[in-house]
Amino acid sequence: MGGTVGSDKGARAFIGSFTTAGGHGVTAAAVDEETGALVPLGSSAAVANPSFLAPSPDGRVLYAVGETSDGTAAAFDITGPVPVLLAEPVPVDGAGPTHLALGAGHLLTANYDSGSVTALAIRPDGALDRAVSVLAHHGSGPDPDRQREPHAHQVLPDPSGRWIVSVDLGTDSVRVCALTRDTGALRLHSEAALRPGSGPRHLAFHPDGRHAYVLNELAPTLTVCRWDAEEGRLEPLGENPVVEDGASGEIYPSEVVVGHDGRFLWAANRGHDSLAVLALDEGADRPRFVTTVGCGGHWPRDLTLDPSGRRLYASNERSGDVTWFSIDPATGIPARAGSIEAPAASCVVFR
């Protein structure tokens, strides 16, 4: 039998989706803590295209981007079974926000279409205030279709909390910024250049706080980096494949996650429709490709590790499902354990 799923105080997951492609918006789900199964509780379509989500540290508020040309961000009260808007969505002063994170008392958004990062103020009740600063990226890359201009794809704080890191697919670079807590002012501190044409999309830090892994979208590779929190600098060390030798067809990696104990990392590959397993037993700076397994659907846009570190959840956008996997603790290889229907799914986060 499964565990308890009914109480509002129990484990919760939240699924983001593209409303313009038939998604339900933000869906709340109870989590069976024994099996990992998700049980949908209700949805809110109050925000168009809430493609990425981030919960507040106290688990009472959920933040969402509105991935549209006139980009927005919004805050939801998630203390009940269904997400409820705290206030009207606010402009991020950027186009096509694809990712967001909390840092230094502000909400940060990565605005893909406008190639910028925005810091928004947060009110005492958790609702969002206005955008207080916007940092524009500059540059381009060699791909004439995807890299004619900057495309900020992800923003997140580093493990020390001292820096804000933004990954830009259009400029083949990762920027490190300082964020002033009192004013929300963003200031560029350093920039790491990655291989031209690699198209970096998302980054994940190793638990040791000294290494980071950048997943590239325009090449099915992972760039291993050394992270210096004292200096606020990222140093690329080399690339590793995230698919088998000889893999062909369209392969667009989307998300990378590192195990809580730092022994394995996983990457999702759209088109190839797989989850890659890399072992870190030879050192955090020497990932070893192990294998790939099917993602359980089509076009895994996001991959999430649950709080226990024992399960992975793939948001399969084009097949319209969220599939979860149990991780073999010895090999790191995921095994499919179940799925639920989730039209145009784009991400899963946990409270």
Side-chain angles (χ1 to χ4, degrees), residues 87-133:
E88 287 299 306
V90 299
V92 299
D93 295 349
T98 62
H99 191 266
L100 81 172
L102 292 156
H106 293 78
L107 185 73
L108 302 148
T109 66
N111 311 313
Y112 182 86
D113 291 342
S114 56
S116 60
V117 171
T118 301
L120 299 112
I122 300 175
R123 299 175 184 170
D125 66 353
L128 293 174
D129 208 325
R130 62 186 180 86
V132 291
S133 67

Side-chain angles (χ1 to χ4, degrees), residues 110 137 151-156 165-169 173-175 199-203 214-215:
H137 290 185
H151 291 300
H153 216 309
Q154 184 196 32
V155 62
L156 74 165
V165 177
S166 60
V167 182
D168 196 299
L169 183 150
S173 64
V174 178
R175 289 168 173 81
R201 178 184 173 97
H202 274 206
L203 174 153
V214 183
L215 188 65

Side-chain angles (χ1 to χ4, degrees), residues 126-287:
L128 293 174
D129 208 325
R130 62 186 180 86
V132 291
S133 67
V134 178
L135 181 71
H137 290 185
H138 300 283
S140 60
D143 188 312
D145 295 323
R146 301 290 307 278
Q147 296 185 309
R148 284 183 285 184
E149 56 194 3
H151 291 300
H153 216 309
Q154 184 196 32
V155 62
L156 74 165
D158 86 301
S160 76
R162 295 177 57 186
W163 308 102
I164 301 299
V165 177
S166 60
V167 182
D168 196 299
L169 183 150
T171 63
D172 292 317
S173 64
V174 178
R175 289 168 173 81
V176 179
C177 301
L179 174 63
T180 303
R181 179 176 289 273
D182 292 343
T183 65
L186 283 161
R187 175 180 57 82
L188 180 63
H189 172 75
S190 67
E191 185 171 356
L194 276 63
R195 181 174 59 81
S198 57
R201 178 184 173 97
H202 274 206
L203 174 153
F205 286 97
H206 189 276
D208 69 7
R210 301 189 302 273
H211 294 87
Y213 308 96
V214 183
L215 188 65
N216 300 308
E217 178 172 336
L218 302 185
T221 61
L222 182 83
T223 301
V224 182
C225 302
R226 183 177 293 114
W227 170 243
D228 185 334
E230 283 295 319
E231 298 294 328
R233 297 194 180 278
L234 191 74
E235 177 191 358
L237 301 176
E239 287 183 54
N240 291 71
V242 292
V243 291
E244 297 86 349
D245 289 344
S248 60
E250 60 175 8
I251 305 172
Y252 299 109
S254 61
E255 183 63 286
V256 56
V257 250
V258 183
H260 298 331
D261 59 8
R263 296 173 57 231
F264 300 99
L265 69 79
W266 303 270
N269 295 310
R270 293 168 299 174
H272 195 253
D273 290 343
S274 66
L275 308 182
V277 184
L278 286 84
L280 300 172
D281 51 359
E282 297 177 1
D285 58 349
R286 295 189 296 278

